[in-house]
Amino acid sequence: MTVTTTGDLPGEVYDVAIIGAGVVGTAIARELARHRLRIALVEASDDVGNGTSKANTAIVHTGFDATPGTLEARLVREGYQRLTAYAAETGIPLEPLGALLVAWDAEQLAALPSLAEKAVRNGYDETSILDADAVYAREPHLGPGALGALEVPGESIICPWTTTLAYATQAVRAGVALHLNCPAGAVTTGEDHHEIATPRGVLRTRHLVNAAGLYSDEINRRLGHEEFTVTPRRGQLIVFDKFARGLVDHILLPVPTALGKGVLVAPTVYGNVMLGPTAEDLGDKTATGSSADGLASLREKGARIMPELLAEEVTAVYAGLRAATEHGDYQIHADPGRRYVAVGGIRSTGLTASMAIAAHVAELLTDCGLDPGPEREIEPVRMPTIGEAFPRPYQRADLIATDPAYGTVVCHCERVTRGEIRDALTATVPPGSLDGLRRRTRALGGRCQGFFCGAAVRAQFDAATAAQDRTEARR
Amino acid sequence: MTPTDRTHRTVDALVIGAGPAGLALAARLAAAGVDRVEVLDREQYAGGIPRHCHHTGFGLRDLRRLMTGPDYARHHIAAAIRAGAVLRTSVTATGWAAPRTVDITSPTGLERITATAVVLATGARERPRSARLVPGTRPAGVLTTGQLQQAVHLHHQHVGRRAVIVGAERVGYSAVATLHRAGAEVAAMVTDQPRHQTHPARHLGTRLRYGFPLVTDATVAELTGQGRLESVRLRHRDGRTADVACDTVVFTGDWIPDHELARSAGIALDPGTRGPAADAEFRTGEPGVFAVGNLLHPVETADIAALDGRLAAGPVLRHLAGRPWTPGALPVRVEAPLLWVSPNRIAPDGPRPPRGRFTLRTTRFLTRPVLTVAQDGRTLHRGRLPRTVAPGRPFHMPADWIARADAHGGPVRITAD
């Protein structure tokens, strides 16, 4: 198993290198790992899923409202099936709550039948139209004025962090070399292989996959392609306290308008309630901050959807950037001459579509001359349970009996135990920061944001990091 | 063993939270001869917040002497154990199986404890940056005072070199001393109020000793920095903004009770304190469940919390002796700019609140305000306070009007003008 964070890259020539270890890049690595290939997954930051993938709305879409006939529509539909099955197999928290597209005016109400019909064209025929009484029967805390809704029972909530981590863990265990802190620079394409400059030396690979998210257009240009330009679209979100969870039991989506998908209210698998996102086109690919205007506008919209929600405490505020392009569809292009596949323009549906994108990319690589060889079984993974719908270690007498560390609660708000933090710190893909530890365990992610446990969690993280440094120094 | 096996026990009094309030109460109950008094704390060590408050000033009101926080915590731990209370740490109450029956998790497994009296003494915490909706990036170096004190005093961790402190109440001044101990300078202390809210002597002493700018009438508009905090943008009341370079920001004060257990039991909360609504005898709306300490008044000093614990011993003993559960049901509410009042349930024919007075807070400075207590349009009390009241500091109001309230009338309202 290879995960590197420092030092020179190995001199070998990989069969495939994937730039970008987000949810799409890790899914591709995992898919290709089902064949005996030498694969490198390189990532600019210190962790997997550390860009767009870590800050999305955490929803698995049925694809009911995609534009029929697009690549996105097909891959979302297929990805939904694949990811739902994979989540059950690996323990990724996923809850099929269903969505309600709530109509707040006559125009929105009139749009519901055509949305239902569009869903059918997308191969999804389980929607139904509810009248106002039926809507309030399902969601009694909804603000006044809802006229009806389209119910989409298949829409689900998921843990996006565990998903990326499961892909990466399984890929690394199956032999993929994951190189973190390894931003890709200039690309030189030769007859036989590409040479990619990185601060950690030259990465050599016969085939190249560009899954660099916000930076996929820049990498694409280095290969001589200009199909798309990424314009980051910022989405700010407010996460409310777990006590808000009782207020809402569906994903509450707005009826889409010309202005975009709009603001949703949805439970999270950790038992919180999320309000957002905003949609702001920006020029800066690092502008992941929230803004006073953005938060004020979310609160204004939230007050209409669910007034009681606003009275609850706020646990977290965050902002993510979607890799939007000037096109209405995913930008997945193969260049067989250069043994290159670009995977760009993967917007908010990328989490849902990730496994289908990976399968699609694997096919395109074959068209580019990659001989994957026979398929093999790869070792299944079982991920730690951090979703509230499933028993957590602090609730399990059997686990605590085998190891008291699972009965020692360190992060009180999220009830994360010493044993879970230890396991994350020694896992196949360990966190590079406290933020990464939070995404793996929920520690520090609760309502107190570290008031009670911040120093203790950091002490455990520092001790594990120091121990790893000592081990590496001995080597 | 199945995944959910729990041992089930019964005790007389179960106290949740081994801070000053819980420990002082447990000591009294055990000394009064209650057989099984058990105190649970989810932390590795008992003592509560004073464990990591290394400044002096603890114990004045309850012990009539001055101690540091850790010494004060040790005193109360020893007193509770000496009296015969059972003190257990690393034990987390995770929920309720039934009224007065608590599920707990500890390194030894899962338990279920039923008690004749359950006392919630779970304290309070500071609202973090996110709950205050401070915009910007999410860099490292953003703390509350609680986390800062634990990092420095309990874990000897490195904090940043240059810090901005948000809030100029008592606890902000504690943060100054802790940062100094950690080798960090204070770039500025910022308050949205026109002046600081601690005692003038404390303010002057801290300023003379550590020398830092106090920025008044300003709020934090934004945090910037990728990875590590780089600066905070301050917005003054007149709209001007200024960036202060720093690698650490400490959000102080703005307390909220840690009311998870209370709320998950369905116990009614007070809209002002956000802690359980409780009467002069620390009774909540749930039979057999009491609440004491900073869970009721976020936040008072540790010695006030300990005095709560002592005073609650009588009502708890009476409950254990079989007195019917008839808590004062008449709510006492405050209106803006007042923030909260404690206690906030009364029984007009019942006992006066602890020390014969109500404790209140305000959200802004009020110069010698006139307080009016009214019920259904009828004035029960009206009086001018002798001095200016400040946010973040307690002030008091006499309780001699409660007999004039109508037990069957509407809520009692306190206003200030």
Side-chain angles (χ1 to χ4, degrees):
Chain A
M1 287 192 283
T2 310
V3 179
T4 72
T5 55
T6 56
D8 289 342
L9 294 177
E12 68 181 294
V13 181
Y14 289 100
D15 294 319
V16 185
I18 302 147
I19 299 174
V23 72
V24 172
T26 54
I28 295 168
R30 180 198 158 277
E31 176 70 28
L32 296 176
R34 294 165 60 245
H35 304 273
R36 290 208 179 280
L37 295 167
R38 285 163 300 172
I39 302 163
L41 177 59
V42 295
E43 164 59 40
S45 78
D46 67 2
D47 203 354
V48 299
N50 210 10
T52 295
S53 304
K54 77 177 175 190
N56 57 30
T57 46
I59 291 171
V60 182
H61 299 284
T62 54
F64 76 96
D65 63 343
T67 306
T70 57
L71 179 64
E72 183 178 13
R74 172 167 76 85
L75 296 182
V76 168
R77 190 166 64 239
E78 288 174 18
Y80 174 86
Q81 303 297 341
R82 285 176 184 253
L83 182 53
T84 303
Y86 186 68
E89 181 187 314
T90 56
I92 296 167
L94 184 145
E95 294 179 48
L97 295 179
L100 298 178
L101 273 81
V102 182
W104 296 96
D105 60 36
E107 193 189 338
Q108 293 175 3
L109 189 65
L112 298 183
S114 66
L115 280 166
E117 189 248 331
K118 188 179 181 184
V120 173
R121 277 192 285 150
N122 280 316
Y124 189 80
D125 55 8
E126 288 172 47
T127 64
S128 49
I129 292 174
L130 307 179
D131 63 17
D133 288 348
V135 174
Y136 285 104
R138 282 170 178 71
E139 291 291 346
H141 300 279
L142 207 60
L147 303 176
L150 182 72
E151 185 170 37
V152 190
E155 297 277 300
S156 307
I157 57 173
I158 192 170
C159 173
W161 306 320
T162 308
T163 305
T164 308
L165 194 62
Y167 295 157
T169 301
Q170 204 174 12
V172 168
R173 288 189 189 161
V176 170
L178 171 62
H179 302 299
L180 300 168
N181 297 318
C182 194
V187 182
T188 315
T189 301
E191 270 306 295
D192 182 55
H193 66 266
H194 304 273
E195 297 203 343
I196 300 152
T198 84
R200 296 176 53 195
V202 178
L203 176 76
R204 295 179 182 81
T205 180
R206 291 174 48 73
H207 292 81
L208 181 61
V209 177
N210 166 12
L214 291 170
Y215 299 92
S216 55
D217 56 342
E218 293 169 31
I219 305 275
N220 203 42
R221 282 194 195 97
R222 286 177 212 160
L223 272 296
H225 287 274
E226 309 247 333
E227 292 96 341
F228 58 92
T229 300
V230 173
T231 306
R233 182 170 298 157
R234 181 165 65 183
Q236 304 183 39
L237 293 118
I238 299 175
V239 179
F240 288 88
D241 192 280
K242 286 169 189 274
F243 276 112
R245 180 64 181 83
L247 294 174
V248 53
D249 212 32
H250 293 79
I251 303 159
L252 301 178
L253 301 171
V255 176
T257 65
L259 298 171
K261 285 191 168 179
V263 169
L264 60 86
V265 169
T268 74
V269 292
Y270 325 109
N272 302 85
V273 175
M274 195 166 57
L275 169 67
T278 58
E280 311 153 64
D281 285 335
L282 304 171
D284 182 357
K285 290 178 176 175
T286 63
T288 55
S290 53
S291 68
D293 289 348
L295 299 181
S297 112
L298 286 182
R299 289 179 64 80
E300 190 190 311
K301 294 194 168 79
R304 166 136 198 221
I305 303 168
M306 189 163 280
E308 287 171 78
L309 182 60
L310 285 258
E312 295 293 342
E313 291 285 315
V314 170
T315 295
V317 170
Y318 66 91
L321 299 174
R322 287 97 106 182
T325 69
E326 66 274 42
H327 303 289
D329 200 357
Y330 288 169
Q331 294 299 300
I332 303 180
H333 304 289
D335 177 353
R338 287 193 175 81
R339 304 173 307 279
Y340 166 71
V341 178
V343 190
I346 310 299
R347 301 174 295 187
S348 61
T349 51
L351 170 60
T352 306
S354 53
M355 295 186 86
I357 293 172
H360 181 58
V361 169
E363 280 174 25
L364 292 177
L365 281 169
T366 315
D367 298 344
C368 292
L370 177 72
D371 174 13
E375 257 185 55
R376 55 174 182 158
E377 283 289 312
I378 55 174
E379 187 196 341
V381 288
R382 195 71 204 164
M383 301 306 289
T385 320
I386 60 172
E388 291 292 314
F390 313 90
R392 299 261 312 279
Y394 81 89
Q395 295 166 309
R396 289 185 50 190
D398 56 338
L399 209 55
I400 299 168
T402 63
D403 185 348
Y406 294 114
T408 308
V409 178
V410 177
C411 166
H412 305 301
C413 302
E414 295 294 317
R415 293 177 183 158
V416 185
T417 62
R418 177 164 291 275
E420 292 167 274
I421 295 173
R422 176 202 61 206
D423 293 350
L425 292 169
T426 54
T428 303
V429 183
S433 66
L434 284 171
D435 229 24
L437 180 64
R438 175 177 58 80
R439 292 195 294 271
R440 284 160 175 80
T441 62
R442 298 288 300 145
L444 301 172
R447 55 172 71 96
C448 93
Q449 294 281 300
F451 177 94
F452 291 113
C453 73
V457 171
R458 185 178 150 195
Q460 203 180 341
F461 177 82
D462 287 349
T465 311
Q468 265 157 21
D469 289 349
R470 280 197 300 277
T471 313
E472 275 174 29
R474 270 203 299 275
R475 284 182 193 145
Chain B
M1 175 171 288
T2 71
T4 53
D5 274 349
R6 284 182 187 274
T7 57
H8 194 172
R9 292 186 298 118
T10 304
V11 300
D12 295 316
L14 182 68
V15 180
I16 301 172
L23 290 170
L25 172 63
R28 280 283 162 118
L29 293 178
V34 178
D35 264 352
R36 288 159 303 171
V37 179
E38 192 162 314
V39 190
L40 309 181
D41 201 286
R42 62 192 190 180
E43 297 289 342
Q44 207 178 341
Y45 301 100
I49 299 285
R51 277 179 313 137
H52 47 78
C53 295
H54 276 232
H55 56 85
T56 187
F58 288 84
L60 190 61
R61 294 181 188 83
D62 64 329
L63 305 175
R64 302 283 168 202
R65 57 184 148 133
L66 278 177
M67 316 164 85
T68 67
D71 284 343
Y72 182 74
R74 277 189 285 272
H75 170 92
H76 277 290
I77 293 164
I81 292 173
R82 206 166 47 237
V86 173
L87 183 53
R88 299 175 61 199
T89 56
S90 293
V91 176
T92 304
T94 59
W96 304 81
R100 293 180 291 102
T101 299
V102 177
D103 279 346
I104 68 175
T105 292
S106 78
T108 57
L110 306 183
E111 290 173 62
R112 180 162 289 173
I113 302 178
T114 299
T116 309
V118 175
V119 185
L120 302 176
T122 52
R125 61 187 163 84
E126 291 162 300
R127 281 196 176 81
R129 172 260 180 113
S130 51
R132 304 178 192 213
L133 292 177
V134 175
T137 56
R138 302 214 302 164
V142 182
L143 308 171
T144 46
T145 321
Q147 182 173 357
L148 170 74
Q149 289 179 340
Q150 294 198 42
V152 172
H153 297 304
L154 298 185
H155 294 279
H156 312 290
Q157 289 164 353
H158 174 74
V159 292
R161 298 185 173 281
R162 196 175 143 81
V164 167
I165 296 173
V166 184
E169 300 173 17
R170 194 168 43 209
V171 63
Y173 289 76
S174 292
V176 173
T178 304
L179 285 165
H180 179 78
R181 161 81 80 91
E185 67 166 317
V186 177
M189 179 186 277
V190 186
T191 172
D192 58 359
Q193 297 292 325
R195 51 193 186 273
H196 70 81
Q197 303 111 56
T198 191
H199 294 284
R202 176 106 190 260
H203 169 71
L204 198 64
T206 313
R207 282 288 286 277
L208 284 173
R209 186 160 171 198
Y210 303 112
F212 54 89
L214 174 68
V215 184
T216 56
D217 283 323
T219 55
V220 179
E222 190 182 348
L223 305 187
T224 59
Q226 303 282 351
R228 183 80 194 188
L229 181 70
E230 284 163 16
S231 76
V232 300
R233 173 161 297 170
L234 304 183
R235 177 172 290 116
H236 296 269
R237 196 172 292 280
D238 60 11
R240 282 180 303 126
T241 60
D243 291 346
V244 180
C246 57
D247 59 10
T248 302
V249 58
V250 187
F251 287 90
T252 75
D254 195 356
W255 298 91
I256 176 162
D258 221 37
H259 59 211
E260 181 176 5
L261 272 181
R263 206 174 155 187
S264 62
I267 292 172
L269 303 186
D270 178 72
T273 62
R274 312 285 301 240
D279 73 0
E281 296 186 88
F282 306 94
R283 289 177 294 188
T284 71
E286 177 70 33
V289 180
F290 295 83
V292 294
N294 280 332
L295 175 63
L296 293 181
H297 38 62
V299 68
E300 281 275 20
T301 52
D303 49 5
I304 294 289
L307 285 176
D308 265 11
R310 265 191 210 170
L311 291 165
V316 173
L317 288 169
R318 288 194 283 280
H319 170 70
L320 292 174
R323 179 171 68 146
W325 190 264
T326 51
L330 189 60
V332 183
R333 304 246 162 91
V334 293
E335 286 176 16
L338 299 178
L339 181 61
W340 54 253
V341 59
S342 176
N344 38 48
R345 286 281 193 281
I346 55 169
D349 56 350
R352 301 276 170 85
R355 297 171 295 283
R357 63 196 194 181
F358 289 89
T359 302
L360 296 98
R361 289 289 167 106
T362 170
T363 57
R364 57 180 171 81
F365 280 93
L366 301 173
T367 308
R368 301 183 62 228
V370 173
L371 294 186
T372 305
V373 182
Q375 183 186 29
D376 301 326
R378 188 167 61 95
T379 299
L380 304 178
H381 167 84
R382 192 172 167 83
R384 183 180 289 280
L385 291 178
R387 60 178 68 87
T388 295
V389 298
R393 267 157 68 185
F395 64 95
H396 305 287
M397 193 182 73
D400 49 14
W401 50 266
I402 63 173
R404 293 196 283 277
D406 174 2
H408 306 289
V412 173
R413 296 187 185 279
I414 307 176
T415 52
D417 49 7

